[in-house]
Amino acid sequence: MCGGLKKTSSRIAIAAALGLMLGGFAFKATPAQAADLGGDCCADLEERVAELEATTVRKGNKKVSVTLSGWVVKSMNWWDDGHEGSFVVGDKDYDLGTRFAITGSATIAPGWSGGYNITVNTEGTAFGIRSNQVDEFEGVNSRFFGTSYGTINTLYSYVYLKSDHWGTLNWGHLSPASDNPAVLADISGTVIESNFVFFEGGGFGLRQGGALSGASWNSFVLCSSAVAPGADCFGAAEPAVRYDSPTWGGFRFETSYGTASVVPAILDGIAGQANTNVFFDHPKTSDSHFWDAALFYTADWNSIKLSAAYAYTWLESNPLNGGQEDIHQVGGTIMHKPSGLGIYAMGEWELTSNSGFNCPGAVETDDPDDTDVLIPPSVCLVGDNLPDTDMWGVKPFWRKAWSPLGATTIYAEYAQYNDMYGLALAQGVGSSIALPGCPTADCTVTGSQVDRWGLGVVQEIDSAAMHLWLRWQHQDFKDLDLVDSAGNHFSQDFEDFDFIQAGGIIFF
């Protein structure tokens, strides 16, 4: 992906292509080497186990290869929400977090092969995704189950058939075609360290005049698809079938079809955490299909490196109101290779419809043995009020090998997230969650704008397949618009949020 760049940079390019959601095949890292036992091998059980594992991973069987790869990533975070601040060591979350992949392939016939991908998340406590002033870091599953430490989870598990001429057919739990194409068009070498998905800081509680408002930044940066915060609005692994074309003249095509299964679980988790009843009727599995397609292009034009992607997603049932949803995303990078100067930008648009919403009225609970919940009009805030959303972001950068250690990338970033208040409506922000900016305590959100900007530096260490980074991010709630039942309009502002993050990634 980072054509023309050497050593560790190639690992990052492949990690990005795998990257946030491992859209293709796991990258081929050096297989684990057998331990140098020495002495009495029977005296050290740990060394014997390490040797056995290393030999097995290296060898596989006579027909199917086995490759172990992945990365470990950890961060140190200093944050300030305008009223208080703290420090915490954490992990990246979901597909950015510490993980390993077991992949392999076997030759079927000349030009034909079959293979598999098993990718597992193993991150520790993750900073920032659903944090608050009570627990400022949480494990990958704690936002659902309340645990204080991360657990091992399967991210991908699928098999494939590949033709060198016709392309690849993948099926299982995998990354859909529209998972991260615009994000992965970033070839600055900083896509893991910082991208426009609102992974960090979004879960902190919003403060107004020093007091917690009852809402979080995620209440106003969650995509209406409810899959991701801020960007990459269909950015989760799903049970699906996906076709990947070969590359023709720099162009590559992907398309997939499956079931959007992750959404109800996430929303049920949010409702459970808030100790409230469901706000809406989740779509049934049989009504939760999706289809998507993505087009990728990379090229070297003399001294210019170009990477671009476009993706379209069709969701049969939006999880917030049951209506259909269409998502468009586009991203690209242009870089002058001799100087290392470049710029990356992306944009995303969600178009929602308003059919199939059962409110006010009786809404089925998740447990069929429980009594249906009667949703009164006062909390029926989503429905036809669910907005279209959009976001855009830009990242200028300068990537240069000033040190014998490896390339150094200095970057700045700015992003704007507009009208991503669907979750705030579902939570009752402005009515059941009153705001000082709504004196009647009977308001509905009608518009929002969150701005985010920052600076950062990433140092590659080629000899250790490692990155070290330092970054600052500022979050500004620019505008929240409210209207009460009498048609009076109000506005609300919140305290800014800042954090400084230092960390490291090592690839294997």
Side-chain angles (χ1 to χ4, degrees), residues 24-25 42 81 152 199 210 235:
F25 309 108
C42 298
D81 67 0
I152 294 177
F199 274 117

Side-chain angles (χ1 to χ4, degrees), residues 107-372:
T107 300
I108 298 172
W112 288 86
S113 62
Y116 62 91
N117 182 311
I118 301 171
T119 301
V120 178
N121 285 332
T122 60
E123 66 262 44
T125 47
F127 165 75
I129 193 165
R130 214 198 68 80
S131 307
N132 52 45
Q133 279 64 42
V134 177
D135 182 4
E136 62 205 72
F137 60 88
E138 302 186 54
V140 66
N141 267 348
S142 62
R143 62 186 184 276
F144 304 144
F145 305 118
T147 60
S148 60
Y149 191 74
T151 55
I152 294 177
N153 293 273
T154 302
L155 181 61
Y156 309 116
S157 179
Y158 65 92
V159 296
Y160 67 85
L161 288 173
K162 179 181 179 182
S163 164
D164 294 342
H165 179 71
W166 299 106
T168 306
L169 185 68
N170 314 268
W171 66 96
H173 199 81
L174 49 75
S175 171
S178 60
D179 173 13
N180 274 301
V183 173
L184 295 180
D186 179 359
I187 58 172
S188 65
T190 65
V191 67
I192 296 178
E193 290 82 358
S194 183
N195 58 76
F196 293 132
V197 183
F198 226 100
F199 274 117
E200 292 137 331
F204 279 84
L206 283 163
R207 288 188 179 273
Q208 203 281 334
L212 286 171
S213 67
S216 70
W217 291 85
N218 275 339
S219 301
F220 298 94
V221 295
L222 186 70
C223 299
S224 292
S225 66
V227 174
D232 189 33
C233 289
F234 200 59
E238 304 285 5
V241 57
R242 189 188 75 231
Y243 167 75
D244 306 333
S245 78
T247 299
W248 299 298
F251 287 94
R252 185 171 61 83
F253 172 76
E254 292 182 8
T255 185
S256 55
Y257 179 80
T259 304
S261 65
V262 71
V263 170
I266 290 177
L267 293 176
D268 290 345
I270 292 173
Q273 288 280 353
N275 295 317
T276 59
N277 293 321
V278 291
F279 301 108
F280 32 74
D281 191 2
H282 297 320
K284 298 177 181 178
T285 301
S286 59
D287 298 326
S288 299
H289 297 107
F290 74 88
W291 170 78
D292 62 359
L295 182 65
F296 305 84
Y297 178 69
T298 58
D300 286 282
W301 297 341
N302 297 321
S303 63
I304 300 298
K305 174 69 176 178
L306 179 67
S307 174
Y310 165 79
Y312 166 76
T313 310
W314 170 79
L315 289 178
E316 183 177 14
S317 299
N318 181 290
L320 288 179
N321 71 351
Q324 179 181 307
E325 179 172 329
D326 300 276
I327 305 170
H328 300 268
Q329 56 176 304
V330 62
T333 305
I334 184 169
M335 181 174 68
H336 182 243
K337 291 186 291 183
S339 68
L341 292 172
I343 188 167
Y344 159 74
M346 74 160 289
E348 189 161 47
W349 300 264
E350 279 186 294
L351 309 177
T352 63
S353 60
N354 297 304
S355 62
F357 188 71
N358 182 29
C359 190
V363 176
E364 294 180 359
T365 61
D366 299 321
D367 188 341
D369 297 327
D370 288 348
T371 304
D372 291 352

Side-chain angles (χ1 to χ4, degrees), residues 413-429:
E413 60 181 2
Y414 173 83
Q416 185 179 110
Y417 307 86
N418 297 307
D419 296 331
M420 291 187 170
Y421 56 82
L423 179 60
L425 291 178
Q427 292 172 327
V429 172

Side-chain angles (χ1 to χ4, degrees), residues 44-64:
D44 191 334
L45 180 60
E46 288 187 2
E47 286 190 343
R48 293 188 65 195
V49 171
E51 181 188 41
L52 176 63
E53 291 176 343
T55 304
T56 302
V57 168
R58 182 179 67 243
K59 181 178 179 181
N61 59 39
K62 294 181 180 180
K63 296 180 179 179
V64 182

